[in-house]
Amino acid sequence: MHKQHLINEYDRKKSIIRKRLGSFAKPKSDKALFVELCFCLCTPQSNAKRVATIINENNHVKLFNAGLDELRQMLRSNARFHNNKARYIVNARAYFPEIKNLPKHTIKAREFLVKNIKGFGLKESSHFLRNIGYRDLCIIDRHVVNMMHDLNVFKNKKMPSSHKQYFEMEQKIKDFAKSMNIDVDELDLLLWSMKTGFVFK
């Protein structure tokens, strides 16, 4: 992929991307916040739109109160590794008071999530924080790594295998975004829209 293609796509989509980021920054009710937490726990290695059909505010009561077996059945058809993800949701309930009062500092908030929320590594924590209004984080998954390699930002297509590698790759993406005069949060949504054909979350 050429950089000019990226610029053309950005110019075409930046208004909707900025609108989406603006929606993330709006205050969240407790219900919306917990649903977003569950969504980000369930999307890894799953289709985000399919996950959203079950992880939404209509199912908020089940997400917060259902037993493990009921959650497993609920997730079975729309999220891979549904047994693990059901356990992650149950575990996250205990930390919801702290999640409602995360540090304002982005890095400290991410550190708390990585340390305490089962199922959240740096990528998933960054995804959740971005979706609730935090900024200046990179959601480094396989698709992003491949595209950064195609753009000669990364030398290979290896996923980060340690926190140190994640932080180094994150900084490279930030530097690239700056060189392209694209906000790094906008770049993430842009890259995903180029894969899926739409701007989601």
Side-chain angles (χ1 to χ4, degrees):
M1 178 174 62
H2 295 292
K3 291 180 181 179
Q4 188 58 49
H5 178 57
L6 187 75
I7 292 170
N8 292 343
E9 285 291 297
Y10 177 65
D11 288 341
R12 188 166 67 87
K13 297 174 180 176
K14 64 182 175 183
S15 61
I16 190 169
I17 287 173
R18 289 174 178 175
K19 184 177 180 180
R20 175 64 76 180
L21 285 170
S23 73
F24 294 156
K26 292 179 180 178
K28 302 281 191 298
S29 66
D30 287 359
K31 177 168 65 174
L33 185 65
F34 190 72
V35 167
E36 196 62 52
L37 178 68
C38 294
F39 175 79
C40 292
L41 282 169
C42 291
T43 51
Q45 296 181 289
S46 298
N47 181 288
K49 277 211 159 185
R50 288 187 64 183
V51 170
T53 64
I54 51 167
I55 306 297
N56 54 57
E57 293 191 27
N58 292 331
N59 286 325
H60 166 258
V61 174
K62 283 186 179 180
L63 291 170
F64 208 86
N65 295 296
L68 190 57
D69 287 342
E70 186 176 357
L71 281 175
R72 286 170 176 159
Q73 290 301 318
M74 181 178 169
L75 298 176
R76 181 183 295 275
S77 299
N78 294 283
R80 296 185 67 199
F81 309 109
H82 59 279
N83 290 328
N84 288 339
K85 290 172 180 178
R87 287 194 291 270
Y88 296 157
I89 290 173
V90 171
N91 172 77
R93 293 170 181 168
Y95 288 94
F96 193 55
E98 289 86 354
I99 290 168
K100 290 193 294 182
N101 294 285
L102 285 169
K104 300 299 183 185
H105 189 277
T106 298
I107 300 304
K108 289 182 179 179
R110 185 165 67 174
E111 287 174 351
F112 173 85
L113 293 172
V114 171
K115 181 179 179 181
N116 293 287
I117 305 302
K118 291 180 181 178
F120 267 8
L122 288 167
K123 181 193 75 174
E124 295 81 13
S125 297
S126 299
H127 186 195
F128 173 65
L129 290 171
R130 195 279 310 278
N131 285 8
I132 63 171
Y134 286 76
R135 302 295 294 267
D136 201 36
L137 293 165
C138 295
I139 305 163
I140 304 177
D141 64 3
R142 176 68 62 189
H143 171 63
V144 169
V145 169
N146 289 343
M147 294 195 78
M148 288 295 100
H149 176 262
D150 291 344
L151 289 161
N152 296 315
V153 178
F154 295 161
K155 293 181 179 179
N156 55 57
K157 296 183 179 181
K158 293 181 180 178
M159 292 290 290
S161 58
S162 66
H163 285 193
K164 180 176 182 291
Q165 286 185 7
Y166 193 102
F167 298 144
E168 289 172 349
M169 293 167 77
E170 184 173 53
Q171 188 58 53
K172 287 182 179 181
I173 295 172
K174 290 179 180 180
D175 291 344
F176 172 74
K178 185 176 181 180
S179 74
M180 299 294 289
N181 199 29
I182 300 175
D183 180 273
V184 71
D185 302 285
E186 294 178 9
L187 178 63
D188 178 79
L189 287 176
L190 174 64
L191 294 176
W192 266 102
S193 74
M194 292 171 70
K195 176 179 173 63
T196 62
F198 54 87
V199 177
F200 194 40
K201 62 177 182 175

